[in-house]
Amino acid sequence: MSCAGGDEAADMMMCRCASCGVAEDGNINIKLKKCNACHSVRYCSVECQKEHRPQHKAECKKRAADMRDESLFKQPESSHLGDCQICCLPHSIDHKQSSLSACCTKMICNGCLMFNLIRERKEKLEPKCVFCRKKSFLTGKESELLFNKRIEANDPNALRQMGTIYGAQGNFAKSMEFLTKAAKLGDAESHYQLGMMYGNRLHLSAGKDMKKARYHLEEAAIAGHPEARLQLGIVEVENKRMDRAVKHFIIAASSGETESMKMVKKGYESGGVSKEEFATALRAHQAAIEATKSPQRDEWEKSQQGNVPSKRK
C-alpha cells in the first residue's frame, strides 16, 4: 500500500502503527492492518490495537457512524428489485406487478409474462418459462424438486421464499432461519422482513430487539429497499430526529415510494421541507414511476381490470 496522498498527517497515521509507531516494512515482514470499524488508523498487531483502544474508541465510534451515514443516506441507483430479466426495464416497487418463476426463481414483470403467454397460444407452442425455457406447467412434485434445488444452491430468492412460507404458517423460528441465510447473501427483501420481525411488526419503536431491527432495515435501505427506508423515517420521527427522517423520506420518495412522497409533502406544508427539496423529490418520484411503465405492463394492468389486451401485429 502506498502512503502518498493529499493529507500528510493522515498519510503518516496510515503508514505507522497507531500504538507503537512502527512503520510498515515488507523486508522484515511488518504489515499494518486497518481498524475494522473506522478504517482510519492501522496497527501492527492485535496487542497494539487492544492497547490503543482506550485512546481510539471515541474517535473510532464517531468515524464509523459517519461512514455508516455516508452509505445510508446515499441515493441508490435503483430499487432492490432491479430490472426485469426480459424487458430490462426497472421493476415496479409494487410487488403485484411482477412474479417469481418457480423453476429458476427469476423475477419477471407481468407484462412480459402475459405477452409471452399470448405468443405461445397464438403459435400453439408448449408453455415454457420466459427466462430459463423450462416447461411452465409443472406437477407439484416437479415444482417442489426444482425449488429445493434452488435452496440447495443457496439461491437467496428461494431461501427468502421459503422463509416467507414458514412465516405465513406461523413458524417464525424457521422463517427467521431462512431469511437470515438469504440476508447474509445480500437479499434486501430478507433484511426488510427481518427488520420488521425484530421490530415486532407492530410498532418499530417498541419492538423486541430494536438494535437488530434497525440494522436490518438499514441494510435493506442501503440496498435500495424504499419501504425499509420509509420505516426508518418513521422511527426517526418518533425519536424526534426530523432531519434524518426527512432525508429518508426524500430518498424513498425519489425511488417511487408513494407513502414517503406523502410524508415529504406533509413536511413541506409544515415547513420542515424546503420548496426546492419538495420539487426535486416530486420530479424524481414521478420519473421513477414512469421508468417502470411500458405498453406491455399497461396492457397487463388493463387485463386485471377486466379489459381484454389489444391485439398487436
Side-chain angles (χ1 to χ4, degrees), residues 20 79 117 122 127 146 179 193 258 264:
C20 68
S79 85
L117 182 60
K122 183 178 179 181
L146 287 173
L179 290 174
Q193 291 190 33
T258 301
V264 174

Side-chain angles (χ1 to χ4, degrees), residues 184-222:
K184 287 180 178 178
L185 293 169
D187 186 66
E189 178 63 24
S190 295
H191 275 298
Y192 172 68
Q193 291 190 33
L194 285 169
M196 297 301 283
M197 292 174 78
Y198 278 118
N200 207 26
R201 296 189 179 186
L202 299 176
H203 199 269
L204 285 173
S205 64
K208 292 181 178 179
D209 193 333
M210 279 310 300
K211 186 176 181 180
K212 287 184 178 180
R214 179 183 287 275
Y215 166 76
H216 285 293
L217 289 174
E218 286 185 352
E219 286 296 304
I222 290 170

